[in-house]
Amino acid sequence: MTSYLTGFAPGAGRREPRAGFTSDAPRIELNGPWRFHLSPSVAEAPTGVADPEFDDSGWGELPVPSLWQMHGHGSPAYTNVDYPFPIEPPFVPDENPTGDYRRDFEVPEGWGGDGAAAVLRFDGVDSCFTAWLNGHELGFSTGSRLPTEFEVTEYLRPGRNVLAVRVHQWSAGSYLEDQDMWWLSGIFRDVTLLARPAGALDDFFVHAGYDAATGAGTLRVETSVPARLTVAELGLVDVPADATHTIAAVRPWTAETPRLYQAELSTAGERVPLRIGFRTVTVEDGLLKVNGERVLFRGVNRHEWHPEHGRALSEETMREDILLMKRHNINAVRTSHYPPHQRFLELCDELGLWVVDECDLETHGFLFVDWRDNPSDDPRWREAYLDRMRRTVERDKNHPSVIMWSLGNESGTGRNLEEMAAWTRRRDPDRPIHYEHDWDSRYVDVYSRMYASHEEVDAIGRRAEEPLEDAGADAHRRALPFVLCEYAHAMGNGPGGLTEYQRLFETHPRCQGGFVWEWIDHGIRRGDHFAYGGDFGEELHDGNFVTDGLVFPDRTPSPGLVEYKKVIEPVRITAEADLLRVTNLYDFRDLSHLSFGWTLEEEGVVVADGTLELPELPAGASTELPVPRLPETTGESWLTVRAVLAEDTPWAPAGHEVAWGQVAVRPAPGAASPATSTTGSTPVSTSVSTSGGTGAAAGPVTLGPGTFDRLTGRLTAIGGLALDGPRLDLWRAPTDNDRGGFPAMEKVWRGVGLDRLRHRVIGIDREDGSLVVRTRVAPAARDIGVLATYRWSLGAGDRLRLTLEVEPQGPWQVPFPRLGLRMALPAWIDRVRWFGRGPGEAYADSRQAARVGRFEASVEELQTPYVFPQENGNRADVRWATLTGPRGGLRVTGEPVFDLTARRWTSEDLDAAAHTVDLVPGDAVHVNLDLAQHGLGTASCGPGVLPEHALTARAATLTVTFAEVAAPTE
Ligand code: IPT
């Protein structure tokens, strides 16, 4: 009965794949509540469900489209590469959750007109289903994210019709759907009944090319039945569709300028509105070109995700994704790893994004059995592979945004992939073919890799990569353009190193950019936090590897996205001597859609502003402008130049910031002078040494406003502000990137005991009016350590000045996670104001987006809620900060700068937490004042921290001063 579940055939009874389109022909939407019943196995599923008279009154309801695990039936499960069932293709487990769906619907008499046919369309069902209309079996289908159509003319009747659908979680098709995402099931895209009037158009293929040399467009629409074409704007009125029409001058379609022409195809039976974009994609001179120009992908990999609905997305959510992408300077999407909902591609056509449309295919789990029996090279699966590719290409072939086909992801190599490529090339010679796992690039048009290091990308950019053994294959690949179809794994805090990649893409024409992995965290909303792999009791899972996006599950941009936006900005504003340099990094357009303004800030306060006039600047060009005349300032001053949208666009309002640059026009006046009180006007009240073990009877030690513990030498109060004074801190709650890589930095750090350092006081002495506390900080069981010397003195204005001197001892072979001070302030502290980089967090290798300015935030707002808690929230290059509350607070000033973190829990709490809800405010605000932190890198999948961003263990000095801030007077 269910042999189709474990057969190699991709389906039966289905219509031939064809273009996805809507027309004026009648249609009946079958979305909405359906009757639903879930059985734990096929054997336990009810019988007779196809019978129109079947009694489903005992069943519940489930919305279509949706995924049943997102509605409390069964549970989501997450694995990345692992198949969650034994690898014995094509067999699947007996425990195969099976969902029965039923609904009825009315069809009006004479629907569709005389001689009309009817087609039932499923846009996506995960993973395998059979459908019955009025008791008649229509067929079955696999290919979860691909459309299936059944001819239902002979079974449809006027009046009440009953549709039954049985969906299985597992099928042979599941072996081809091992994408890194939640395993979820059900009818998750639209279901529609389409009338096909007599003489209706079954399929069509728009060929709309652009000749960059002449500006001419050519248009031909292949149609399944003779059709007429009208593009009024181009003077084409009711011309034969399937003939080549040359239009002397058209405006081309690009992702930057998504010009679409409204058109209409008509046949005897129907009218189809079309939107045509003229563009030509080629691989020439070793480069991928659109309309004759090399393009640079500032891309992301996009899975379809919503924290409550899973992969069943509303149009609103799709639009939100694209608006967010456009607003963050992203110009390209790889539809990892399956064709998206069709509406998404329509929106890409309209709003402008380059799309690499990827087939619904991945067999990655065969990696763990050395690719034995990989379906990609097994002729029994040939039909299923070709079926998936045909359904992808046929559905999406009319989208100008789709500029490349991708065969799938991580499926090894083999004949079936090769055949997919060959079929695609025949069917659509106008789009290049992509497939990453074919490292030799034998059947693709673009050399693609994932997570290659900067060094390797540089070599590839110079066409100096390691040669392939076969000289012919090597020559072929070396002549291809290069893209990183995945890079910069955006898991947790990071990615670091984006700037260095971008520099390579801008240096080597062959390197045409890449697609950050990935767009969104696939966290599932659970009460007040987001769940990830393992949270649903899965016996096998890959934890939080599923939350690795540039936006959080609720689509709040993460700092990684903000950084990416800055790194890939299409306009670069820099300064050289007294000149501003503006470079147009668009591939096609000039800058006339932007207006340029500047502000001068002194100590972060705006003191002047103005606008800049730019000469016409074509794509790729740059210009120099004199720095505007600026008023005299005395404090540290920065000129910020911004490029904003001059007018509203469909994706952002006028005023939206596209790019910016900052120039220091006046440095900070000389750093605060060192201690002024060496004369002893406010002497240290006593000098003690712990060595003699002098009793605790004597009072505390004081220095100016500072009170110190006589045994530990730690500051316990400044004036009336009680605190847990600063001491050396080297530890940070490991980031996902610290936890990845071979070896993982986290392991290395824990291995040497950096998470369990102990402090031993060597001596507390008075030296020239200073209080000097010497300590040694080291972990148990190791002989490495750090000498930490705290020199406290009095600075100007009775400020307490601290110089921390750090000197590593012993064979340190690991970088420090961080190097600085930690302290604890009373819990009533709630506001932080600072002059430094902001407004967001910044780290050594992810700091382009943080500009110098004056910022303010609550302690809560300083936290970045990474789905899996980890180090976050660092504010860089802080000149001064105040941490205050209703009772006053503390002012910290750097000499010259420090990095600042403030949170209501410790790094240890962060380290121990598994979900954001585990972080509970304690009875203090914990503050880190750092000289530096180790970079972030992207080792959760990819290269680690570049050497220039590593925090090598070395002797170092950090100087900061502290002053109490008085309570505000009412
Ligand atoms: C790569 C996959 O293509 C992608 O789907 C995702 O799993 C990503 O890794 C990590 O999040 S494959 C990896 C083994 C390089």
Side-chain angles (χ1 to χ4, degrees):
M1 172 187 69
T2 51
S3 58
Y4 63 89
L5 277 182
T6 53
F8 294 97
R14 305 170 304 170
R15 296 185 89 237
E16 287 296 303
R18 62 187 185 117
F21 64 92
T22 49
S23 73
D24 64 350
R27 51 197 281 133
I28 297 175
E29 309 280 344
L30 297 175
N31 293 344
W34 288 47
R35 308 295 294 167
F36 179 73
H37 177 82
L38 184 67
S39 310
S41 66
V42 185
E44 289 159 274
T47 50
V49 295
D51 184 342
E53 303 314 319
F54 179 86
D55 177 12
D56 62 16
S57 58
W59 292 11
E61 274 189 353
L62 186 70
V64 167
S66 78
L67 291 150
W68 68 59
Q69 291 89 347
M70 303 303 285
H71 289 262
H73 305 278
S75 303
Y78 167 59
T79 60
N80 170 11
V81 180
D82 280 311
Y83 285 105
F85 45 78
I87 303 181
E88 43 163 355
F91 300 103
V92 297
D94 290 343
E95 294 158 65
N96 188 359
T98 292
D100 281 300
Y101 291 73
R102 298 183 86 251
R103 71 162 288 163
D104 52 21
F105 58 92
E106 294 288 323
V107 174
E109 191 75 47
W111 186 67
D114 268 359
V119 166
L120 181 62
R121 180 178 173 95
F122 293 86
D123 283 312
V125 182
D126 197 328
S127 83
C128 174
F129 71 105
T130 308
W132 296 267
L133 181 61
N134 298 324
H136 301 280
E137 182 168 336
L138 302 175
F140 83 93
S141 191
T142 56
S144 300
R145 285 145 294 264
L146 294 164
T148 298
E149 288 185 334
F150 297 109
E151 188 79 45
V152 296
T153 318
E154 61 177 306
Y155 308 125
L156 196 71
R157 55 193 185 213
R160 179 174 179 264
N161 288 265
V162 180
L163 184 57
V165 181
R166 172 164 286 185
V167 183
H168 307 279
Q169 172 150 9
W170 309 120
S171 63
S174 304
Y175 284 96
L176 310 186
E177 297 180 0
D178 191 28
Q179 292 99 336
D180 175 10
M181 61 192 192
W182 292 97
W183 296 95
L184 297 169
S185 331
I187 306 176
F188 77 101
R189 285 188 190 156
D190 309 309
V191 184
T192 322
L193 182 72
L194 304 166
R196 307 307 302 137
L201 195 58
D202 202 43
D203 193 15
F204 59 90
F205 194 167
V206 176
H207 303 275
Y210 178 74
D211 183 339
T214 64
T218 50
L219 178 60
R220 180 170 68 91
V221 186
E222 278 178 70
T223 53
S224 54
V225 296
R228 311 288 297 175
L229 173 69
T230 296
V231 195
E233 212 183 326
L234 296 176
L236 297 176
V237 180
D238 203 31
V239 297
D242 204 351
T244 302
H245 304 281
T246 304
I247 305 106
V250 295
R251 302 272 299 281
W253 188 97
T254 73
E256 295 169 6
T257 52
R259 179 67 158 90
L260 293 172
Y261 289 88
Q262 295 294 335
E264 189 181 85
L265 267 182
S266 58
T267 67
E270 91 184 310
R271 286 166 188 281
V272 182
L274 288 185
R275 294 189 304 178
I276 293 171
F278 292 88
R279 65 179 194 20
T280 294
V281 188
T282 52
V283 173
E284 299 176 282
D285 315 323
L287 299 176
L288 177 71
K289 296 182 180 176
V290 181
N291 302 336
E293 299 292 337
R294 166 193 185 251
V295 290
L296 182 58
F297 295 127
R298 302 165 163 92
V300 288
N301 280 279
R302 174 182 180 267
H303 265 283
E304 294 181 313
W305 189 250
H306 186 280
E308 279 130 46
H309 309 302
R311 288 187 291 274
L313 299 195
S314 67
E315 173 169 347
E316 208 183 336
T317 301
M318 298 179 219
R319 186 180 289 275
E320 197 181 339
D321 274 350
I322 298 179
L323 295 186
L324 272 169
M325 288 176 192
K326 295 284 291 183
R327 289 173 187 167
H328 287 88
N329 295 331
I330 287 163
N331 70 358
V333 175
R334 171 175 176 235
T335 69
S336 53
H337 302 300
Y338 43 82
H341 191 289
Q342 285 190 77
R343 185 67 191 134
F344 180 77
L345 296 179
E346 289 171 15
L347 292 169
C348 290
D349 294 342
E350 186 179 309
L351 295 161
L353 285 173
W354 306 119
V355 177
V356 178
D357 193 356
E358 190 151 276
C359 185
D360 192 1
L361 177 69
E362 174 158 343
T363 65
H364 207 170
F366 284 87
L367 169 76
F368 293 137
V369 295
D370 296 325
W371 297 103
R372 278 190 305 278
D373 291 333
N374 180 20
S376 298
D377 200 34
D378 181 338
R380 291 174 302 169
W381 293 92
R382 175 179 179 274
E383 208 30 61
Y385 273 63
L386 285 170
D387 174 71
R388 284 169 186 255
M389 198 64 203
R390 287 176 59 213
R391 285 156 75 195
T392 302
V393 172
E394 297 298 357
R395 191 195 75 169
D396 295 343
K397 59 185 181 280
N398 294 322
H399 291 284
S401 57
V402 174
I403 52 148
M404 226 176 344
W405 299 115
S406 177
L407 305 181
N409 187 56
E410 294 279 4
S411 301
T413 53
R415 287 165 275 181
N416 297 332
L417 288 159
E418 204 163 346
E419 286 206 49
M420 286 166 97
W423 177 86
T424 306
R425 201 162 275 128
R426 280 198 305 277
R427 179 65 178 137
D428 183 12
D430 295 333
R431 285 182 178 98
I433 294 171
H434 168 273
Y435 175 62
E436 188 272 347
H437 227 180
D438 172 22
W439 277 27
D440 295 359
S441 303
R442 278 187 305 122
Y443 31 86
V444 296
D445 301 307
V446 166
Y447 179 25
S448 174
R449 290 283 304 281
M450 45 174 78
Y451 309 106
S453 67
H454 298 84
E455 201 185 342
E456 191 180 3
V457 170
D458 183 51
I460 294 171
R462 291 184 279 107
R463 299 193 197 262
E465 65 267 28
E466 287 289 314
L468 293 172
E469 243 167 57
D470 179 287
D474 185 67
H476 167 72
R477 191 180 71 180
R478 208 171 292 277
L480 297 180
F482 177 73
V483 298
L484 278 166
C485 71
E486 293 178 23
Y487 80 113
H489 199 246
M491 184 178 183
N493 192 346
L498 283 170
T499 314
E500 290 79 3
Y501 275 115
Q502 199 64 23
R503 204 170 290 148
L504 293 168
F505 303 158
E506 289 173 12
T507 305
H508 303 302
R510 187 190 192 189
C511 295
Q512 299 196 242
F515 300 79
V516 165
W517 186 267
E518 69 177 305
W519 173 242
I520 187 168
D521 283 344
H522 316 201
I524 295 181
R525 194 182 299 280
R526 222 190 196 190
D528 49 5
H529 71 284
F530 295 110
Y532 50 77
D535 287 344
F536 298 91
E538 302 104 295
E539 65 177 18
L540 199 64
H541 66 83
D542 288 295
N544 67 316
F545 209 66
V546 77
T547 51
D548 53 1
L550 289 172
V551 296
F552 292 113
D554 61 3
R555 293 187 156 68
T556 307
S558 78
L561 180 60
V562 179
E563 175 76 1
Y564 194 40
K565 174 184 179 179
K566 175 70 178 134
V567 168
I568 60 177
E569 59 190 2
V571 180
R572 181 152 309 139
I573 303 162
T574 53
E576 288 155 31
D578 279 345
L579 292 173
L580 290 176
R581 173 174 289 277
V582 178
T583 308
N584 178 353
L585 296 169
Y586 285 105
D587 293 324
F588 299 94
R589 70 190 316 189
D590 63 20
L591 302 185
S592 55
H593 63 295
L594 300 175
S595 55
F596 287 76
W598 60 267
T599 52
L600 176 69
E601 288 169 34
E602 182 178 15
E603 284 247 346
V605 177
V606 178
V607 291
D609 58 21
T611 56
L612 286 178
E613 286 309 317
L614 244 70
E616 201 185 299
L617 202 61
S622 88
T623 186
E624 282 173 354
L625 306 169
V627 168
R629 281 177 58 91
L630 303 172
E632 260 315 296
T633 50
T634 50
E636 180 177 344
S637 304
W638 287 77
L639 176 70
T640 306
V641 177
R642 291 189 177 78
V644 304
L645 288 178
E647 279 166 18
D648 288 352
T649 66
W651 50 269
H656 163 83
E657 184 178 283
V658 171
W660 58 271
Q662 249 190 343
V663 189
V665 292
R666 173 175 294 284
S673 57
T676 53
S677 58
T678 41
T679 52
S681 58
T682 319
V684 174
S685 61
T686 179
S687 169
V688 294
S689 165
T690 53
S691 42
T694 47
V701 183
T702 62
L703 173 65
T707 307
F708 296 81
D709 181 284
R710 71 165 46 245
L711 296 180
T712 64
R714 287 181 68 185
L715 181 72
T716 56
I718 295 185
L721 179 71
L723 48 76
D724 199 357
R727 65 177 192 169
L728 179 74
D729 194 7
L730 300 179
W731 182 240
R732 74 175 176 198
T735 64
D736 285 313
N737 288 315
D738 293 336
R739 301 188 326 139
F742 307 97
M745 281 319 301
E746 178 194 21
K747 281 217 177 94
V748 171
W749 286 336
R750 287 195 206 277
V752 299
L754 291 184
D755 56 333
R756 49 183 171 80
L757 295 172
R758 298 298 165 134
H759 300 243
R760 177 175 68 82
V761 177
I762 298 170
I764 304 176
D765 300 289
R766 199 184 80 173
E767 289 175 14
D768 297 334
S770 299
L771 177 68
V772 181
V773 182
R774 292 189 174 78
T775 66
R776 187 172 186 278
V777 183
R782 302 278 159 193
D783 62 355
I784 54 170
V786 166
L787 284 182
T789 303
Y790 307 80
R791 290 182 191 279
W792 291 95
S793 60
L794 280 185
D798 231 18
R799 295 197 205 162
L800 265 186
R801 182 168 187 268
L802 168 62
T803 295
L804 166 74
E805 292 161 9
V806 173
E807 195 192 319
Q809 291 190 314
W812 277 90
Q813 274 152 2
V814 307
F816 293 144
R818 68 161 12 108
L819 175 55
L821 297 159
R822 75 194 283 181
M823 61 195 293
L825 299 178
W828 48 259
I829 297 276
D830 54 10
R831 296 233 55 91
V832 182
R833 294 183 179 81
W834 75 100
F835 175 42
R837 289 195 184 271
E841 66 182 37
Y843 290 83
D845 51 359
S846 175
R847 51 182 284 138
Q848 302 305 316
R851 63 184 181 88
V852 177
R854 194 183 281 223
F855 306 98
E856 177 173 350
S858 66
V859 172
E860 286 67 29
E861 286 163 351
L862 289 176
Q863 317 308 311
T864 305
Y866 292 112
V867 171
F868 180 84
Q870 55 197 278
E871 161 60 33
N872 71 84
N874 184 62
R875 295 322 193 261
D877 293 348
V878 175
R879 281 73 169 157
W880 56 255
T882 61
L883 298 110
T884 58
R887 290 182 240 166
L890 183 69
R891 181 183 178 95
V892 187
T893 308
E895 290 184 22
V897 295
F898 57 93
D899 278 14
L900 171 70
T901 314
R903 46 174 79 105
R904 298 197 176 279
W905 34 80
T906 61
S907 292
E908 289 72 20
D909 297 332
L910 250 190
D911 185 356
H915 296 92
T916 49
V917 278
D918 301 337
L919 294 167
V920 183
D923 55 4
V925 170
H926 301 273
V927 177
N928 277 91
L929 310 171
D930 289 317
L931 191 62
Q933 275 201 46
H934 187 59
L936 300 171
T938 177
S940 54
C941 187
V945 173
L946 288 168
E948 58 269 38
H949 301 304
L951 180 53
T952 311
R954 62 185 154 91
T957 304
L958 168 68
T959 301
V960 285
T961 63
F962 299 96
E964 187 186 6
V965 175
T969 47
E970 262 124 275

